[in-house]
Amino acid sequence: MLTILGFAMIATFLVLIMMKKMSPIAALVLIPALFCVFVGEGAKLGDYVLDGVTDLAPTAAMLMFAIVYFGVMIDVGLFDPIVRGILKFCKADPMRIVVGTALLAAIVSLDGDGSTTFMITVSAMYPLYKRLKMSLVVMTGVAAMANGVMNTLPWGGPTARAATALKVDASDIFVPMIPALLVGLAFVFVLSYVLGVRERRRLGVLTLDDMLEEETETETVLVGSGGSGDGKVSMRKAGTAGAGAAGGTGSGADAPGEGTASAASGDEDGFQGLDPNRSTLRPKLYWFNALLTVGLLTAMIMEWLPIPVLFLIGAALVLSVNFPHIPDQKARLAAHADNVLNVSGMVFAAAVFTGVLQGTGMVDHMAKWMVDVIPAGMGPHMALVTGILSLPLTYFMSNDGFYFGVLPVLAEAGAAHGVTPLEMARASLVGQPLHMSSPLVPAVYVLVGMARVEFGDHTKFVVKWAALTCLVILGAGMLFGII
Protein backbone atom coordinates (compact mmCIF):
# COMPACT_ATOMS: atom_id res chain seq x y z
CA MET A 1 0.00 0.00 0.00
CA LEU A 2 2.80 2.43 0.91
CA THR A 3 4.54 1.58 -2.36
CA ILE A 4 1.45 2.49 -4.39
CA LEU A 5 0.85 5.66 -2.42
CA GLY A 6 4.50 6.67 -2.80
CA PHE A 7 4.44 6.36 -6.58
CA ALA A 8 1.01 8.01 -6.67
CA MET A 9 2.29 10.98 -4.65
CA ILE A 10 5.27 11.48 -6.97
CA ALA A 11 3.11 11.08 -10.08
CA THR A 12 0.54 13.56 -8.75
CA PHE A 13 3.25 16.09 -8.02
CA LEU A 14 4.84 15.80 -11.47
CA VAL A 15 1.53 15.91 -13.35
CA LEU A 16 0.30 18.99 -11.52
CA ILE A 17 3.48 21.01 -12.02
CA MET A 18 3.89 19.90 -15.65
CA MET A 19 0.29 20.90 -16.36
CA LYS A 20 0.94 24.16 -14.45
CA LYS A 21 -1.98 23.56 -12.12
CA MET A 22 0.17 24.30 -9.06
CA SER A 23 3.42 26.13 -8.40
CA PRO A 24 6.34 23.91 -7.36
CA ILE A 25 6.41 25.33 -3.82
CA ALA A 26 2.68 24.74 -3.29
CA ALA A 27 2.87 21.25 -4.79
CA LEU A 28 5.91 20.30 -2.69
CA VAL A 29 4.03 21.25 0.48
CA LEU A 30 0.37 20.41 -0.08
CA ILE A 31 0.58 17.11 -1.98
CA PRO A 32 2.77 15.27 0.59
CA ALA A 33 0.69 16.72 3.41
CA LEU A 34 -2.45 15.29 1.78
CA PHE A 35 -0.87 11.89 1.17
CA CYS A 36 0.43 11.83 4.74
CA VAL A 37 -3.20 12.04 5.86
CA PHE A 38 -4.16 9.27 3.38
CA VAL A 39 -1.50 7.02 4.92
CA GLY A 40 -3.01 7.63 8.33
CA GLU A 41 0.03 9.49 9.65
CA GLY A 42 -1.49 12.97 9.69
CA ALA A 43 -0.78 13.36 13.41
CA LYS A 44 2.95 12.89 12.72
CA LEU A 45 3.11 15.35 9.82
CA GLY A 46 4.76 18.00 12.00
CA ASP A 47 7.51 15.61 13.06
CA TYR A 48 8.14 14.49 9.48
CA VAL A 49 8.36 18.07 8.23
CA LEU A 50 10.73 19.11 11.02
CA ASP A 51 12.91 16.07 10.30
CA GLY A 52 13.00 17.06 6.65
CA VAL A 53 13.81 20.68 7.48
CA THR A 54 16.56 19.55 9.84
CA ASP A 55 18.11 17.44 7.09
CA LEU A 56 17.92 20.17 4.44
CA ALA A 57 18.69 23.23 6.59
CA PRO A 58 22.46 23.02 5.90
CA THR A 59 21.71 22.82 2.17
CA ALA A 60 19.46 25.87 2.39
CA ALA A 61 22.13 27.79 4.30
CA MET A 62 24.79 26.77 1.79
CA LEU A 63 22.65 27.90 -1.15
CA MET A 64 21.73 31.20 0.49
CA PHE A 65 25.31 32.25 1.07
CA ALA A 66 26.63 30.64 -2.14
CA ILE A 67 24.18 32.78 -4.12
CA VAL A 68 25.40 35.88 -2.31
CA TYR A 69 29.07 34.92 -2.72
CA PHE A 70 29.03 34.05 -6.39
CA GLY A 71 26.50 36.76 -7.17
CA VAL A 72 28.92 39.33 -5.78
CA MET A 73 31.79 37.68 -7.67
CA ILE A 74 29.79 38.11 -10.87
CA ASP A 75 29.10 41.73 -9.89
CA VAL A 76 32.79 42.52 -9.37
CA GLY A 77 33.84 40.87 -12.65
CA LEU A 78 35.64 37.70 -11.56
CA PHE A 79 34.09 35.60 -14.32
CA ASP A 80 34.07 38.24 -17.04
CA PRO A 81 37.12 36.84 -18.91
CA ILE A 82 35.51 33.39 -19.20
CA VAL A 83 32.17 34.89 -20.17
CA ARG A 84 33.77 37.16 -22.79
CA GLY A 85 35.56 34.20 -24.34
CA ILE A 86 32.36 32.15 -24.55
CA LEU A 87 30.35 35.09 -25.91
CA LYS A 88 33.05 35.85 -28.49
CA PHE A 89 32.77 32.25 -29.68
CA CYS A 90 28.96 32.37 -29.70
CA LYS A 91 28.46 35.67 -31.56
CA ALA A 92 24.79 35.66 -32.66
CA ASP A 93 24.69 32.12 -34.03
CA PRO A 94 22.05 30.01 -32.20
CA MET A 95 24.08 26.84 -32.74
CA ARG A 96 27.20 28.37 -31.20
CA ILE A 97 25.19 29.82 -28.35
CA VAL A 98 23.76 26.41 -27.36
CA VAL A 99 27.18 24.72 -27.63
CA GLY A 100 28.69 27.62 -25.67
CA THR A 101 26.10 27.07 -22.97
CA ALA A 102 27.17 23.45 -22.58
CA LEU A 103 30.85 24.41 -22.62
CA LEU A 104 30.45 27.15 -20.01
CA ALA A 105 28.35 24.91 -17.74
CA ALA A 106 30.91 22.09 -18.00
CA ILE A 107 33.84 24.39 -17.19
CA VAL A 108 32.18 26.04 -14.20
CA SER A 109 30.97 22.64 -12.95
CA LEU A 110 34.56 21.85 -12.01
CA ASP A 111 33.85 23.59 -8.71
CA GLY A 112 31.45 20.75 -7.82
CA ASP A 113 28.50 23.01 -6.98
CA GLY A 114 25.42 23.02 -9.22
CA SER A 115 24.05 26.31 -7.93
CA THR A 116 27.26 28.13 -8.81
CA THR A 117 27.29 26.60 -12.27
CA PHE A 118 23.73 27.64 -13.01
CA MET A 119 24.17 31.17 -11.66
CA ILE A 120 27.20 31.88 -13.83
CA THR A 121 25.84 30.12 -16.91
CA VAL A 122 22.45 31.83 -16.82
CA SER A 123 23.92 35.25 -16.06
CA ALA A 124 26.14 34.98 -19.14
CA MET A 125 23.79 33.28 -21.60
CA TYR A 126 20.30 34.46 -20.66
CA PRO A 127 20.59 37.85 -22.39
CA LEU A 128 21.64 36.17 -25.65
CA TYR A 129 18.79 33.67 -25.58
CA LYS A 130 16.29 36.36 -24.71
CA ARG A 131 17.61 38.84 -27.24
CA LEU A 132 17.54 36.34 -30.10
CA LYS A 133 14.23 34.85 -28.95
CA MET A 134 15.78 31.41 -28.54
CA SER A 135 14.11 28.69 -26.49
CA LEU A 136 15.04 29.15 -22.85
CA VAL A 137 14.38 25.49 -22.01
CA VAL A 138 17.19 24.61 -24.40
CA MET A 139 19.49 26.68 -22.20
CA THR A 140 18.27 25.15 -18.94
CA GLY A 141 18.27 21.62 -20.36
CA VAL A 142 21.77 21.78 -21.80
CA ALA A 143 23.19 23.39 -18.66
CA ALA A 144 21.56 20.79 -16.41
CA MET A 145 22.86 17.86 -18.48
CA ALA A 146 26.42 19.21 -18.69
CA ASN A 147 26.42 19.81 -14.95
CA GLY A 148 24.94 16.36 -14.34
CA VAL A 149 27.84 14.64 -16.09
CA MET A 150 30.37 16.78 -14.23
CA ASN A 151 28.54 16.19 -10.94
CA THR A 152 30.28 12.82 -10.77
CA LEU A 153 33.57 14.48 -9.82
CA PRO A 154 34.85 13.07 -6.50
CA TRP A 155 34.10 16.37 -4.72
CA GLY A 156 30.68 16.73 -6.37
CA GLY A 157 28.85 14.46 -3.94
CA PRO A 158 27.54 11.25 -5.57
CA THR A 159 30.96 9.60 -5.92
CA ALA A 160 31.79 10.33 -2.29
CA ARG A 161 28.41 8.94 -1.19
CA ALA A 162 28.89 5.76 -3.21
CA ALA A 163 32.39 5.31 -1.81
CA THR A 164 31.15 5.79 1.75
CA ALA A 165 28.14 3.50 1.35
CA LEU A 166 30.15 0.62 -0.16
CA LYS A 167 33.39 1.28 1.78
CA VAL A 168 35.59 1.69 -1.29
CA ASP A 169 37.97 4.45 -2.36
CA ALA A 170 36.44 7.34 -4.32
CA SER A 171 39.38 7.51 -6.73
CA ASP A 172 38.95 3.81 -7.54
CA ILE A 173 35.37 4.59 -8.53
CA PHE A 174 35.96 7.80 -10.47
CA VAL A 175 39.24 7.35 -12.35
CA PRO A 176 38.20 4.23 -14.32
CA MET A 177 34.87 5.96 -15.10
CA ILE A 178 36.58 8.89 -16.84
CA PRO A 179 36.40 7.41 -20.39
CA ALA A 180 32.66 6.71 -20.06
CA LEU A 181 32.04 10.15 -18.56
CA LEU A 182 33.98 11.79 -21.38
CA VAL A 183 31.76 9.95 -23.86
CA GLY A 184 28.74 11.25 -21.95
CA LEU A 185 30.10 14.80 -22.01
CA ALA A 186 30.86 14.50 -25.73
CA PHE A 187 27.27 13.35 -26.26
CA VAL A 188 26.01 16.46 -24.42
CA PHE A 189 28.07 18.62 -26.81
CA VAL A 190 26.76 16.71 -29.84
CA LEU A 191 23.22 17.06 -28.54
CA SER A 192 23.86 20.77 -27.96
CA TYR A 193 25.01 21.07 -31.57
CA VAL A 194 21.86 19.32 -32.81
CA LEU A 195 19.59 21.48 -30.66
CA GLY A 196 21.51 24.55 -31.75
CA VAL A 197 21.11 23.67 -35.43
CA ARG A 198 17.41 23.20 -34.79
CA GLU A 199 17.24 26.66 -33.23
CA ARG A 200 19.22 28.08 -36.15
CA ARG A 201 16.77 26.60 -38.61
CA ARG A 202 13.86 27.99 -36.63
CA LEU A 203 15.32 31.48 -36.27
CA GLY A 204 17.78 31.72 -39.14
CA VAL A 205 21.38 32.92 -38.93
CA LEU A 206 20.96 36.13 -37.00
CA THR A 207 22.81 39.25 -36.09
CA LEU A 208 21.86 41.09 -32.98
CA ASP A 209 21.14 44.23 -35.03
CA ASP A 210 18.39 42.27 -36.79
CA MET A 211 16.61 41.87 -33.51
CA LEU A 212 16.64 45.54 -32.49
CA GLU A 213 13.21 47.08 -32.34
CA GLU A 214 12.20 50.71 -32.38
CA GLU A 215 10.13 50.28 -29.27
CA THR A 216 12.08 49.88 -26.07
CA GLU A 217 11.23 46.77 -24.10
CA THR A 218 12.86 45.81 -20.85
CA GLU A 219 14.02 42.70 -19.09
CA THR A 220 15.97 41.72 -16.02
CA VAL A 221 18.68 39.16 -15.48
CA LEU A 222 18.30 38.00 -11.92
CA VAL A 223 21.99 37.67 -11.17
CA GLY A 224 23.23 41.13 -10.27
CA SER A 225 25.85 42.25 -12.76
CA GLY A 226 24.80 45.50 -14.28
CA GLY A 227 25.50 49.14 -14.74
CA SER A 228 24.76 51.79 -12.15
CA GLY A 229 25.34 49.20 -9.47
CA ASP A 230 21.77 47.89 -9.73
CA GLY A 231 22.68 44.39 -10.77
CA LYS A 232 21.01 44.48 -14.18
CA VAL A 233 22.38 43.34 -17.49
CA SER A 234 22.28 45.96 -20.20
CA MET A 235 22.09 45.79 -23.98
CA ARG A 236 22.14 48.28 -26.85
CA LYS A 237 23.10 48.74 -30.46
CA ALA A 238 26.77 49.42 -30.92
CA GLY A 239 27.37 53.13 -31.08
CA THR A 240 23.74 54.01 -30.28
CA ALA A 241 23.15 55.28 -26.81
CA GLY A 242 20.02 54.25 -25.05
CA ALA A 243 18.79 51.63 -27.51
CA GLY A 244 16.32 49.39 -25.78
CA ALA A 245 16.57 45.70 -25.13
CA ALA A 246 14.04 43.72 -26.99
CA GLY A 247 12.60 41.44 -24.41
CA GLY A 248 11.13 38.67 -26.47
CA THR A 249 8.12 37.08 -24.91
CA GLY A 250 7.47 33.39 -25.02
CA SER A 251 5.08 30.71 -24.06
CA GLY A 252 5.66 27.16 -23.02
CA ALA A 253 9.40 26.82 -23.45
CA ASP A 254 10.18 30.50 -23.47
CA ALA A 255 9.09 31.87 -20.14
CA PRO A 256 8.62 35.63 -20.30
CA GLY A 257 10.19 38.08 -17.91
CA GLU A 258 10.12 41.81 -17.42
CA GLY A 259 12.28 44.22 -15.48
CA THR A 260 14.78 46.95 -16.30
CA ALA A 261 17.82 47.29 -18.50
CA SER A 262 20.28 50.13 -18.84
CA ALA A 263 22.37 51.20 -21.79
CA ALA A 264 25.87 49.87 -22.26
CA SER A 265 28.47 49.65 -24.97
CA GLY A 266 28.29 46.56 -27.15
CA ASP A 267 30.97 44.25 -28.45
CA GLU A 268 31.77 43.63 -32.10
CA ASP A 269 28.35 42.05 -32.60
CA GLY A 270 26.52 44.93 -30.95
CA PHE A 271 25.78 43.10 -27.71
CA GLN A 272 27.38 42.68 -24.34
CA GLY A 273 25.77 40.28 -21.90
CA LEU A 274 27.67 41.59 -18.89
CA ASP A 275 28.13 45.36 -18.94
CA PRO A 276 31.92 45.89 -19.02
CA ASN A 277 31.51 49.34 -17.48
CA ARG A 278 29.21 48.47 -14.59
CA SER A 279 29.94 50.37 -11.41
CA THR A 280 30.25 47.21 -9.33
CA LEU A 281 33.47 46.10 -11.09
CA ARG A 282 36.54 45.87 -8.87
CA PRO A 283 39.50 45.35 -11.27
CA LYS A 284 42.08 46.25 -8.60
CA LEU A 285 40.74 43.42 -6.42
CA TYR A 286 40.58 40.84 -9.22
CA TRP A 287 43.43 38.68 -7.96
CA PHE A 288 42.25 38.90 -4.38
CA ASN A 289 38.82 37.66 -5.46
CA ALA A 290 40.35 34.95 -7.65
CA LEU A 291 42.61 33.67 -4.88
CA LEU A 292 39.78 33.83 -2.37
CA THR A 293 37.58 31.73 -4.67
CA VAL A 294 40.36 29.22 -5.30
CA GLY A 295 40.95 29.00 -1.55
CA LEU A 296 37.25 28.53 -0.92
CA LEU A 297 36.97 25.74 -3.48
CA THR A 298 40.11 24.09 -2.09
CA ALA A 299 38.64 24.19 1.41
CA MET A 300 35.44 22.63 0.05
CA ILE A 301 37.32 19.80 -1.66
CA MET A 302 39.59 19.19 1.35
CA GLU A 303 36.59 19.45 3.71
CA TRP A 304 38.39 21.78 6.12
CA LEU A 305 35.05 23.20 7.25
CA PRO A 306 31.41 22.41 6.51
CA ILE A 307 30.38 23.93 3.16
CA PRO A 308 27.67 26.21 4.64
CA VAL A 309 30.23 27.66 7.04
CA LEU A 310 32.72 28.23 4.23
CA PHE A 311 30.20 30.14 2.12
CA LEU A 312 28.97 32.12 5.11
CA ILE A 313 32.51 33.27 5.88
CA GLY A 314 33.28 33.78 2.20
CA ALA A 315 30.16 35.89 1.59
CA ALA A 316 30.90 38.09 4.60
CA LEU A 317 34.53 38.52 3.54
CA VAL A 318 33.87 39.29 -0.12
CA LEU A 319 31.19 41.85 0.77
CA SER A 320 33.41 43.57 3.34
CA VAL A 321 36.46 43.80 1.09
CA ASN A 322 34.79 44.69 -2.22
CA PHE A 323 32.11 46.94 -0.78
CA PRO A 324 33.45 48.47 2.45
CA HIS A 325 30.58 50.96 2.74
CA ILE A 326 27.46 49.58 4.41
CA PRO A 327 24.98 51.12 1.91
CA ASP A 328 26.84 49.35 -0.93
CA GLN A 329 26.73 46.05 0.97
CA LYS A 330 22.99 46.46 1.49
CA ALA A 331 22.56 47.18 -2.21
CA ARG A 332 24.40 43.99 -3.17
CA LEU A 333 22.36 41.92 -0.73
CA ALA A 334 19.16 43.46 -2.06
CA ALA A 335 20.21 42.72 -5.64
CA HIS A 336 20.42 38.99 -4.84
CA ALA A 337 17.61 38.76 -2.29
CA ASP A 338 15.09 37.57 -4.89
CA ASN A 339 17.20 34.52 -5.76
CA VAL A 340 17.99 33.80 -2.12
CA LEU A 341 14.32 33.86 -1.12
CA ASN A 342 13.13 31.79 -4.08
CA VAL A 343 15.75 29.07 -3.67
CA SER A 344 15.69 28.82 0.13
CA GLY A 345 11.88 28.74 0.05
CA MET A 346 11.97 25.92 -2.48
CA VAL A 347 14.45 23.96 -0.36
CA PHE A 348 12.27 24.15 2.73
CA ALA A 349 9.21 23.22 0.67
CA ALA A 350 11.13 20.20 -0.64
CA ALA A 351 11.83 19.32 3.00
CA VAL A 352 8.11 18.62 3.41
CA PHE A 353 8.16 16.29 0.42
CA THR A 354 11.27 14.37 1.46
CA GLY A 355 10.23 14.35 5.12
CA VAL A 356 6.90 12.67 4.33
CA LEU A 357 8.47 10.24 1.85
CA GLN A 358 11.02 9.10 4.40
CA GLY A 359 8.99 9.45 7.58
CA THR A 360 6.02 7.38 6.38
CA GLY A 361 8.32 4.69 5.00
CA MET A 362 7.13 5.22 1.41
CA VAL A 363 10.63 5.55 0.03
CA ASP A 364 11.80 2.33 1.72
CA HIS A 365 8.84 0.37 0.39
CA MET A 366 9.33 1.78 -3.11
CA ALA A 367 13.01 0.86 -3.14
CA LYS A 368 12.34 -2.63 -1.77
CA TRP A 369 9.64 -3.22 -4.39
CA MET A 370 11.96 -2.20 -7.22
CA VAL A 371 14.69 -4.51 -5.91
CA ASP A 372 12.27 -7.39 -5.45
CA VAL A 373 10.95 -7.22 -9.03
CA ILE A 374 14.43 -7.80 -10.44
CA PRO A 375 14.43 -11.32 -11.97
CA ALA A 376 16.77 -13.77 -10.29
CA GLY A 377 18.45 -14.43 -13.63
CA MET A 378 19.69 -10.84 -13.70
CA GLY A 379 21.95 -11.43 -10.69
CA PRO A 380 25.20 -11.61 -12.69
CA HIS A 381 24.19 -8.39 -14.43
CA MET A 382 23.44 -6.38 -11.31
CA ALA A 383 25.79 -3.59 -12.36
CA LEU A 384 23.73 -3.07 -15.51
CA VAL A 385 20.53 -3.27 -13.48
CA THR A 386 21.89 -0.73 -10.98
CA GLY A 387 22.84 1.63 -13.80
CA ILE A 388 19.32 1.45 -15.24
CA LEU A 389 17.65 1.78 -11.84
CA SER A 390 19.78 4.80 -11.01
CA LEU A 391 17.79 6.83 -13.55
CA PRO A 392 14.36 6.68 -11.87
CA LEU A 393 15.63 6.20 -8.34
CA THR A 394 17.96 9.21 -8.26
CA TYR A 395 15.25 11.27 -9.95
CA PHE A 396 12.54 10.40 -7.43
CA MET A 397 14.83 10.15 -4.41
CA SER A 398 17.55 12.25 -2.86
CA ASN A 399 21.13 11.14 -3.47
CA ASP A 400 21.41 10.29 0.22
CA GLY A 401 18.35 8.04 0.03
CA PHE A 402 19.62 6.23 -3.04
CA TYR A 403 23.28 5.83 -2.11
CA PHE A 404 22.81 5.01 1.57
CA GLY A 405 19.46 3.22 1.36
CA VAL A 406 19.19 1.44 -1.99
CA LEU A 407 22.73 0.95 -3.28
CA PRO A 408 23.93 -1.23 -0.37
CA VAL A 409 20.96 -3.58 -0.95
CA LEU A 410 21.71 -3.79 -4.68
CA ALA A 411 25.42 -4.28 -3.97
CA GLU A 412 24.67 -7.15 -1.60
CA ALA A 413 22.54 -8.84 -4.25
CA GLY A 414 25.31 -8.31 -6.80
CA ALA A 415 28.01 -9.66 -4.49
CA ALA A 416 26.15 -12.98 -4.32
CA HIS A 417 26.72 -13.30 -8.07
CA GLY A 418 30.33 -12.09 -8.14
CA VAL A 419 29.70 -8.43 -9.02
CA THR A 420 32.26 -6.27 -7.21
CA PRO A 421 31.32 -3.23 -5.10
CA LEU A 422 33.41 -1.02 -7.40
CA GLU A 423 31.37 -2.03 -10.44
CA MET A 424 28.17 -1.35 -8.53
CA ALA A 425 29.46 2.04 -7.35
CA ARG A 426 30.41 3.09 -10.87
CA ALA A 427 27.07 1.98 -12.25
CA SER A 428 25.26 3.99 -9.59
CA LEU A 429 26.71 7.23 -11.02
CA VAL A 430 25.03 6.76 -14.39
CA GLY A 431 21.79 8.53 -13.45
CA GLN A 432 23.34 11.87 -12.45
CA PRO A 433 22.56 13.79 -15.69
CA LEU A 434 18.87 13.09 -15.03
CA HIS A 435 19.17 13.56 -11.27
CA MET A 436 20.23 17.19 -11.70
CA SER A 437 16.73 18.03 -12.99
CA SER A 438 14.95 16.21 -10.16
CA PRO A 439 12.38 18.26 -8.24
CA LEU A 440 14.27 17.24 -5.09
CA VAL A 441 17.50 18.96 -6.20
CA PRO A 442 17.59 22.55 -4.85
CA ALA A 443 20.03 23.76 -7.52
CA VAL A 444 17.53 23.15 -10.33
CA TYR A 445 15.31 25.86 -8.86
CA VAL A 446 18.22 28.28 -9.12
CA LEU A 447 18.43 27.35 -12.81
CA VAL A 448 14.77 27.63 -13.75
CA GLY A 449 14.17 30.61 -11.48
CA MET A 450 16.95 32.72 -12.95
CA ALA A 451 16.09 31.63 -16.50
CA ARG A 452 12.40 32.37 -15.87
CA VAL A 453 11.38 28.97 -17.12
CA GLU A 454 8.50 27.04 -15.63
CA PHE A 455 9.76 23.91 -13.87
CA GLY A 456 7.17 21.84 -15.72
CA ASP A 457 8.41 23.09 -19.10
CA HIS A 458 11.99 22.31 -18.13
CA THR A 459 10.97 18.82 -17.02
CA LYS A 460 9.06 18.03 -20.20
CA PHE A 461 12.01 19.09 -22.31
CA VAL A 462 14.98 17.71 -20.42
CA VAL A 463 13.87 14.29 -19.15
CA LYS A 464 14.12 12.47 -22.47
CA TRP A 465 17.49 13.97 -23.38
CA ALA A 466 18.97 13.53 -19.91
CA ALA A 467 17.81 9.89 -19.80
CA LEU A 468 19.43 9.32 -23.20
CA THR A 469 22.67 10.86 -21.91
CA CYS A 470 22.58 8.49 -18.94
CA LEU A 471 22.13 5.49 -21.24
CA VAL A 472 25.05 6.63 -23.41
CA ILE A 473 27.28 6.74 -20.32
CA LEU A 474 26.03 3.31 -19.26
CA GLY A 475 26.63 1.89 -22.75
CA ALA A 476 30.14 3.35 -22.84
CA GLY A 477 30.87 1.92 -19.42
CA MET A 478 29.76 -1.52 -20.53
CA LEU A 479 31.71 -1.24 -23.79
CA PHE A 480 34.93 -0.25 -22.04
CA GLY A 481 34.47 -2.97 -19.39
CA ILE A 482 34.26 -0.39 -16.60
CA ILE A 483 30.85 -1.47 -15.36
Side-chain angles (χ1 to χ4, degrees):
M1 184 64 178
L2 285 177
T3 301
I4 296 173
L5 286 174
F7 283 115
M9 184 174 85
I10 292 170
T12 302
F13 168 77
L14 291 175
V15 169
L16 288 175
I17 62 170
M18 289 173 68
M19 294 179 65
K20 301 180 184 178
K21 299 298 184 182
M22 295 183 74
S23 68
I25 285 184
L28 284 167
V29 173
L30 297 179
I31 291 173
L34 185 62
F35 273 83
C36 186
V37 174
F38 286 164
V39 173
E41 299 286 345
K44 297 181 180 179
L45 176 62
D47 293 334
Y48 297 155
V49 172
L50 289 178
D51 288 342
V53 168
T54 301
D55 291 339
L56 290 183
T59 300
M62 182 273 290
L63 289 174
M64 288 172 61
F65 292 105
I67 288 172
V68 172
Y69 180 88
F70 285 105
V72 170
M73 285 302 185
I74 293 169
D75 292 344
V76 300
L78 178 63
F79 303 105
D80 280 21
I82 297 175
V83 171
R84 281 196 297 267
I86 297 293
L87 294 181
K88 186 177 181 181
F89 164 77
C90 293
K91 298 185 181 295
D93 182 353
M95 183 275 290
R96 290 189 175 205
I97 290 172
V98 179
V99 174
T101 302
L103 179 61
L104 180 59
I107 292 173
V108 183
S109 293
L110 289 171
D111 74 346
D113 178 59
S115 300
T116 305
T117 298
F118 297 147
M119 288 175 62
I120 295 171
T121 301
V122 175
S123 70
M125 307 307 295
Y126 176 91
L128 280 174
Y129 279 81
K130 199 68 172 163
R131 184 66 162 171
L132 301 180
K133 294 182 172 61
M134 293 176 62
S135 173
L136 291 172
V137 292
V138 172
M139 176 180 68
T140 60
V142 166
M145 287 185 286
N147 178 252
V149 175
M150 299 298 289
N151 194 46
T152 55
L153 292 168
W155 54 88
T159 301
R161 288 181 176 91
T164 302
L166 300 185
K167 297 179 175 59
V168 294
D169 189 84
S171 62
D172 291 336
I173 298 173
F174 176 73
V175 174
M177 275 293 287
I178 290 176
L181 295 173
L182 288 176
V183 171
L185 191 60
F187 178 78
V188 171
F189 288 129
V190 171
L191 179 59
S192 302
Y193 173 82
V194 172
L195 294 172
V197 169
R198 190 173 72 177
E199 285 293 281
R200 180 196 279 170
R201 288 173 181 168
R202 182 173 69 88
L203 300 169
V205 178
L206 305 168
T207 64
L208 288 162
D209 286 342
D210 292 336
M211 303 308 296
L212 287 171
E213 298 177 358
E214 294 294 330
E215 186 176 336
T216 300
E217 298 180 30
T218 58
E219 64 188 31
T220 302
V221 175
L222 298 182
V223 171
S225 55
S228 304
D230 61 358
K232 311 303 181 191
V233 167
S234 52
M235 297 159 281
R236 74 173 176 91
K237 197 175 192 176
T240 305
T249 59
S251 61
D254 294 1
E258 295 182 357
T260 60
S262 57
S265 59
D267 60 10
E268 63 185 19
D269 294 307
F271 177 83
Q272 185 67 45
L274 295 177
D275 180 4
N277 300 312
R278 59 191 185 274
S279 62
T280 57
L281 289 176
R282 297 292 185 269
K284 293 182 179 180
L285 293 171
Y286 183 86
W287 289 111
F288 167 80
N289 291 322
L291 290 173
L292 177 62
T293 302
V294 170
L296 178 65
L297 298 179
T298 301
M300 287 172 54
I301 295 169
M302 301 301 294
E303 298 181 350
W304 291 338
L305 285 173
I307 294 178
V309 176
L310 289 172
F311 276 116
L312 193 157
I313 295 173
L317 188 58
V318 76
L319 276 171
S320 300
V321 174
N322 287 277
F323 301 96
H325 302 295
I326 292 179
D328 292 335
Q329 293 180 15
K330 289 182 177 180
R332 290 301 88 215
L333 289 173
H336 305 292
D338 191 16
N339 277 336
V340 170
L341 180 60
N342 286 336
V343 174
S344 59
M346 202 71 70
V347 171
F348 287 121
V352 180
F353 198 92
T354 57
V356 170
L357 265 180
Q358 295 172 358
T360 58
M362 289 182 189
V363 69
D364 295 331
H365 282 75
M366 292 163 62
K368 185 177 184 301
W369 176 81
M370 295 193 77
V371 172
D372 289 343
V373 298
I374 299 173
M378 292 298 294
H381 308 288
M382 281 302 294
L384 174 62
V385 171
T386 299
I388 294 173
L389 286 179
S390 70
L391 274 69
L393 290 181
T394 58
Y395 186 80
F396 295 128
M397 300 171 61
S398 67
N399 268 341
D400 285 338
F402 174 70
Y403 286 104
F404 296 122
V406 178
L407 182 58
V409 177
L410 294 172
E412 186 176 347
H417 294 85
V419 182
T420 67
L422 282 173
E423 291 175 303
M424 297 294 289
R426 292 168 194 155
S428 70
L429 301 178
V430 166
Q432 288 306 302
L434 179 59
H435 170 75
M436 286 309 300
S437 292
S438 165
L440 302 181
V441 174
V444 74
Y445 298 110
V446 177
L447 175 64
V448 298
M450 290 175 55
R452 300 188 174 187
V453 169
E454 292 290 338
F455 182 79
D457 291 332
H458 172 76
T459 300
K460 284 188 285 187
F461 173 81
V462 78
V463 165
K464 57 182 178 294
W465 299 120
L468 186 57
T469 303
C470 296
L471 294 177
V472 167
I473 295 174
L474 179 60
M478 300 292 291
L479 181 64
F480 295 148
I482 301 167
I483 298 175

